[in-house]
Amino acid sequence: MRLPIVAMAALSAIPEQSTPPLSTTNELPEKSTPPITVAQTHHPSALRNRIPVLKAILKLLPDSDRWAGDALEVASGTGALLEVLAPAYPQLSWLPSEYVPAETASPEEQWAKHGKIGLRSGLDELANIDLSLQAFKNVKPARSVDLSLEWTKSFNSNSLSLVVCSNTLHITPWACSGGLFKGAGDLLEDGGHLIVYGPFKLHGEFVGEDGGAGNEKFDAKLRSTNDAWGIRDVDDLVELAADRGLAYRGKTKMPANNYLLHFQKISSTLRMLACIYP
């Protein structure tokens, strides 16, 4: 598949040295943290994953050179993924977001307490994201989003063309998975897209090139860190999606035993017809 011109330019603009070699497994952050002298540092896994994620998204969604609308990234972290999504989709107006905990944590504790990776120093949670993405004219100031709450109240219903959420559902309580799909169902316009990336189980089984052993070990580490965390099953997410008017369009196999899941908002007319003619 030939990539659109703007998307090719976005990919070529990423320095080779900024993207570490692909890992074959999911990894927990190292316990020790090196000294930093900048406001923030993207985690190596975020840099490894973002180009494969972008390439997969480009194959699934409308023409990146012409597709216009509003897009939300849920849980932007330090902004690593949006650094490639924003230039690849220049006609979309992007809104980054992040969970802002009431209790801050030191760099050494941010993973165990809040599931956050990458380093932040000297600025608040949202200011770090804004600093990372300030060069992109199609990116708005970051907004606080807590998926465990009624987070959509400050948004307009049926106003978004795209919602993207990566590496979040396995490091949040199950209620946040429900919150993501409920919110996407409310905020996406008819035909709008939801992209969810991360490690998942398939039909109750851990999967991967190693037969699932790596993700099973990763899941055990997640649950030992926080018993509300864990790798989610695609079947359960598809059920959540259906309850919110989101059709499951399929999955894309990704590096490091991950998948990219694609959902699309069903039009209100089709939902009505489905109720009349089940």
Side-chain angles (χ1 to χ4, degrees):
M1 175 180 176
R2 181 180 178 273
L3 297 180
I5 294 173
V6 173
M8 293 175 65
L11 288 171
S12 64
I14 305 300
E16 287 294 331
Q17 65 270 22
S18 70
T19 306
L22 287 173
S23 171
T24 57
T25 61
N26 286 298
E27 303 168 355
L28 289 172
E30 296 293 336
K31 293 183 179 179
S32 60
T33 310
I36 57 173
T37 57
V38 295
Q40 66 175 3
T41 304
H42 299 320
H43 192 267
S45 64
L47 296 176
R48 282 196 301 268
N49 296 333
R50 65 182 183 177
I51 297 303
V53 169
L54 172 61
K55 289 181 176 179
I57 288 175
L58 286 167
K59 293 178 181 178
L60 294 173
L61 299 183
D63 190 332
S64 64
D65 293 350
R66 292 189 291 271
W67 191 28
D70 292 324
L72 168 68
E73 185 186 22
V74 174
S76 298
T78 55
L81 180 57
L82 206 44
E83 284 181 350
V84 297
L85 289 178
Y89 286 90
Q91 305 305 319
L92 288 177
S93 178
W94 289 92
L95 176 64
S97 70
E98 180 63 9
Y99 168 61
V100 180
E103 176 189 358
T104 58
S106 67
E108 294 81 6
E109 297 177 313
Q110 64 178 355
W111 165 259
K113 285 189 174 182
H114 305 305
K116 293 178 180 289
I117 60 174
L119 301 176
R120 303 152 178 83
S121 177
L123 295 172
D124 67 38
E125 193 82 34
L126 302 181
N128 270 293
I129 299 173
D130 293 339
L131 180 64
S132 174
L133 300 170
Q134 62 184 339
F136 303 107
K137 298 185 182 301
N138 62 329
V139 176
K140 299 176 182 178
R143 185 180 298 188
S144 174
V145 164
D146 184 342
L147 291 175
S148 68
L149 304 176
E150 293 292 331
W151 62 275
T152 61
K153 291 181 179 179
S154 61
F155 295 81
N156 294 323
S157 298
N158 306 310
S159 63
L160 299 178
S161 299
L162 173 64
V163 175
V164 176
C165 182
S166 65
N167 279 326
T168 299
L169 300 188
H170 61 291
I171 52 170
T172 54
W174 174 246
C176 292
S177 295
L180 173 66
F181 284 92
K182 179 181 183 300
D186 291 342
L187 298 181
L188 285 171
E189 62 192 10
D190 288 351
H193 302 266
L194 169 64
I195 298 292
V196 185
Y197 168 81
F200 300 102
K201 290 190 288 186
L202 299 181
H203 310 305
E205 301 292 333
F206 294 104
V207 294
E209 298 295 336
D210 56 1
N215 270 359
E216 185 172 9
K217 182 178 179 181
F218 183 48
D219 182 74
K221 288 184 176 181
L222 290 170
R223 295 180 187 276
S224 68
T225 302
N226 187 321
D227 59 12
W229 295 358
I231 294 178
R232 310 305 177 191
D233 195 294
V234 173
D235 290 344
D236 295 332
L237 299 179
V238 170
E239 185 175 341
L240 285 179
D243 289 342
R244 299 300 175 181
L246 300 167
Y248 176 52
R249 298 305 189 199
K251 63 184 182 295
T252 301
K253 190 175 182 181
M254 303 294 291
N257 298 331
N258 291 325
Y259 279 91
L260 188 142
L261 310 181
H262 180 204
F263 302 87
Q264 191 170 22
K265 175 80 168 283
I266 304 170
S267 72
S268 55
T269 301
L270 289 178
R271 291 199 300 273
M272 186 184 305
L273 290 173
C275 292
I276 298 173
Y277 305 105

